């Protein structure tokens, strides 16, 4: 904090005003008391100011009281003793440092030399000092203008496959409406897989995902390696979303998701069994050591229920006491969406170069991947995409046009149903080939037309209909009356009262004059 000149300037102005009033005889005790109350001093102090101004030809120059300031040696002692001024003074006195004042003066000087945040940092470190920092509020803009994402470790012990662990949650929250658009819950510390799953959950808008979501303009991430991975960058870049990386230890850059992390700890984890920050007895013993812990499935269900409460029932003061759902629905900004199949592709990590389908499937990372649709495609190049840490299944694409060919499963982990589907597809492929060969063999056998006269045999091929009819007529085997349909019977003779058309008169062969030119 700096001592500005404003208070001294006001004091000089006030004293000049009082001198003019004294010269005209208008200076009263009430005016003196008013000035003294304004500056928080006694009226006698104001009188001394006036006397000093008279002694300096009517000019009052405030003099600052000299105060003791710590020297560099004294400051180092205070820092060395973690802000303990008493211990620092005791050391300086033992070393007979010259100019050392009284203990009270030294304490006041130490208080002026260090701000409250610096003193907290000297005692408890950087996290304590950061509690005294100032962070302004960021404008909310419109929905899907920016999303914030972060991981939070659940303060709850959960049973997972016979082990007791603390799950992790990855949130994606909209900065405008404070709505949780998507999340991913993992039994272990999350990786880029959890980020990709959370992106898919946040972007999709359907019966199972929504109504919050769409394509955000930008996503604000911290320095976590899973958020900065190449796969996550490609997934966001394919949607035209900008990824903004915050500097380290900058929670004020993503206040919405930080508020979500804090709220779920207070309003959900604190009331669940296995809460790790619950009060303890002497010796750090838990109050109820035998309380039943939740299984992972039940934990996930409670988290999903809490997310629904946050989005649809929890009112936020900064939103005008509206819920995130109300703030989201009141925003008329259009929502851009993406085809789910394309999103499925973009949220998978891509293997570097195309692979080849062999007789044992696609070889990748020392394992073979097979699928029923691969029959007949041995030798074809494919592009492989996969979800990190889920190597039991991959997705294969045409490297030329990016068309999705289908999934493939690890051969040694294929289920009995997948093996049956593979064998059925193999039999179907063999049946199709056998049918095609049989049909071709039948078509190769030359058939000849029946003859009634002695002539060379005529091969029968696929002839047009008119040629077939001509051929039948030539064989005297065609009678139009026998082939006539019921509605094509011969018409009866016209009646006697019908008007019959008259034949045109004969015209001489040498007469070339038109009827209009004849007289």
């Amino acid at each position: 904090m700096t001592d500005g000149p404003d208070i001294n300037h006001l004091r000089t102005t006030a004293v000049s005003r009082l001198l003019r009033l004294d010269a005209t005889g208008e200076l009263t005790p009430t005016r003196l008391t008013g000035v003294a109350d304004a500056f928080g001093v006694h009226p006698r102090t104001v009188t001394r100011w006036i006397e000093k101004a008279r002694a300096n030809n009517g000019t009052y120059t405030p003099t600052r009281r000299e105060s003791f300031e710590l020297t560099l040696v004294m400051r180092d002692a205070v820092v060395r003793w973690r802000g303990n001024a008493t211990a620092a003074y005791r050391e300086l006195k033992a070393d007979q440092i010259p100019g050392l004042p009284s203990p009270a003066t030294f304490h006041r000087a130490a208080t002026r030399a260090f701000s409250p945040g610096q003193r907290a940092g000297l005692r408890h470190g950087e996290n304590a000092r950061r509690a005294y920092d100032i962070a302004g509020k960021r404008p909310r803009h419109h929905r899907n203008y920016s999303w914030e994402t972060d991981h939070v470790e659940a303060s709850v012990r959960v049973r997972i496959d016979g082990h007791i662990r603390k799950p992790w949650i990855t949130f994606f929250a909209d900065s405008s409406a404070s709505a949780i658009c998507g999340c991913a819950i993992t039994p272990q510390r999350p990786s880029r897989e959890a980020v990709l799953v959370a992106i898919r959950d946040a972007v999709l808008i359907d019966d199972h995902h929504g109504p919050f979501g769409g394509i955000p303009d930008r996503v604000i991430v911290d320095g976590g390696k899973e958020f900065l991975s190449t796969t996550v960058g490609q997934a966001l870049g394919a949607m035209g979303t900008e990824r903004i990386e915050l500097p380290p230890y900058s929670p004020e850059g993503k206040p919405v998701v930080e508020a979500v992390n804090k709220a779920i700890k207070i309003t959900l984890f604190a009331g669940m069994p296995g809460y790790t920050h619950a009060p303890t007895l002497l010796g750090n013993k838990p109050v109820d050591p035998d309380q039943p812990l939740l299984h992972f499935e039940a934990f996930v269900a409670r988290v999903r229920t809490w997310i629904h409460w946050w989005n649809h029932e929890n009112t936020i003061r900064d939103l005008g006491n509206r819920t995130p759902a109300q703030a989201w629905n009141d925003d008329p900004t259009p929502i851009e969406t993406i085809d789910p199949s394309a999103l499925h592709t973009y949220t998978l990590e891509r293997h570097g170069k195309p692979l080849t389908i062999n007789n044992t499937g696609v070889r990748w990372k020392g394992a073979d991947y097979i699928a029923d649709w691969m029959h007949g495609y041995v030798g074809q190049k494919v592009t492989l995409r996969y979800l990190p840490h889920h190597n039991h299944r991959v997705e294969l694409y045409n490297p030329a046009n990016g068309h999705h060919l289908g999934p493939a499963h690890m051969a040694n982990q294929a289920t009995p149903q997948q093996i049956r589907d593979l064998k059925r597809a193999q039999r179907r492929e063999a049946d199709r080939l056998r049918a095609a060969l049989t049909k071709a063999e039948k078509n190769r056998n030359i058939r000849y037309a029946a003859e009634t006269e002695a002539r060379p045999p005529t091969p029968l091929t696929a002839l047009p209909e008119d040629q077939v009819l001509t051929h039948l007529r030539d064989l005297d085997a065609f009678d139009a009356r026998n082939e006539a349909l019921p509605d094509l019977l011969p018409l009866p003779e016209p009646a006697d009262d019908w008007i019959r058309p008259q034949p045109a008169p004969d015209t001489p062969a040498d007469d070339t004059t038109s009827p209009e030119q004849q007289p």
Side-chain angles (χ1 to χ4, degrees), residues 157 275 278-282 284-291:
R157 294 190 300 273
Y275 181 53
T280 57
L281 303 177
L282 290 176
N284 202 24
K285 295 181 180 180
V287 178
D288 185 8
D290 299 326
Q291 59 179 337

Side-chain angles (χ1 to χ4, degrees), residues 151-388:
H151 304 307
V152 59
E153 184 183 24
S155 306
V156 178
R157 294 190 300 273
V158 177
R159 294 189 179 277
I160 303 174
D161 289 339
H163 302 279
I164 298 178
R165 298 179 180 177
K166 290 192 295 184
W168 286 74
I169 307 174
T170 303
F171 283 118
F172 275 85
D174 180 71
S175 303
S176 172
S178 297
I180 300 175
C181 299
C183 76
I185 307 172
T186 55
Q188 66 284 331
R189 184 174 182 84
S191 62
R192 61 186 185 277
E193 170 223 356
V195 179
L196 294 174
V197 172
I199 290 176
R200 189 180 308 153
D201 183 56
V203 172
L204 290 178
I205 301 178
D206 52 27
D207 295 338
H208 302 286
H209 309 83
F212 316 101
I215 301 178
D217 295 338
R218 52 190 57 80
V219 172
I220 302 174
V221 303
D222 57 17
K225 63 179 182 179
E226 58 276 3
F227 293 114
L228 303 179
S229 65
T230 303
T231 306
V232 174
Q234 292 175 349
L236 296 176
M239 297 184 293
T241 300
E242 180 184 3
R243 180 175 58 181
I244 299 178
E245 179 186 357
L246 295 176
Y249 305 104
S250 302
E252 67 277 2
K254 42 185 178 65
V256 173
V257 74
E258 291 290 342
V260 171
N261 292 343
K262 183 179 180 181
I264 195 172
K265 292 179 180 179
I266 298 175
T267 60
L268 179 64
F269 297 157
M272 297 175 66
Y275 181 53
T276 56
H277 300 307
T280 57
L281 303 177
L282 290 176
N284 202 24
K285 295 181 180 180
V287 178
D288 185 8
D290 299 326
Q291 59 179 337
L293 302 180
L294 293 176
H295 290 275
F296 182 71
E297 297 82 358
F299 173 81
V300 173
R302 291 202 182 188
V303 171
R304 300 297 299 185
T305 302
W306 182 88
I307 292 176
H308 184 275
W309 169 84
W310 172 272
N311 285 334
H312 297 274
E313 301 178 23
N314 174 46
T315 57
I316 300 176
R317 182 175 58 183
D318 199 33
L319 295 177
N321 291 325
R322 294 178 299 171
T323 64
Q326 292 172 339
W328 179 275
N329 295 329
D330 292 343
D331 192 337
T333 305
I335 299 176
E336 298 183 33
T337 58
I338 188 172
D339 182 61
S341 60
L343 182 64
H344 178 265
T345 300
Y346 294 142
T347 52
L348 295 176
E349 188 161 351
R350 182 180 180 273
H351 179 65
K353 59 182 180 179
L355 303 175
T356 305
I357 299 179
N358 302 312
N359 295 105
T360 58
V362 176
R363 188 74 174 175
W364 179 64
K365 286 189 176 182
D368 293 320
Y369 291 83
I370 58 177
D372 53 357
W373 59 266
M374 288 184 181
H375 293 297
Y377 290 93
V378 172
Q380 180 174 335
K381 295 290 185 179
V382 293
T383 300
L384 185 144
R385 290 180 177 270
Y386 64 98
L387 188 63

Side-chain angles (χ1 to χ4, degrees), residues 449-472:
E451 299 289 347
T452 58
E453 297 180 3
R455 67 177 68 182
T458 304
L460 290 178
T461 57
L463 299 177
E465 182 180 1
D466 54 347
Q467 296 183 17
V468 173
L469 294 177
T470 302
H471 180 70
L472 293 176

Side-chain angles (χ1 to χ4, degrees), residues 136-153:
K137 286 187 176 181
R138 202 177 56 219
R140 288 187 174 268
H141 297 283
H142 54 80
R143 62 184 179 184
N144 285 343
Y145 174 83
S146 65
W147 287 1
E148 301 170 10
T149 180
D150 196 12
H151 304 307
V152 59
E153 184 183 24

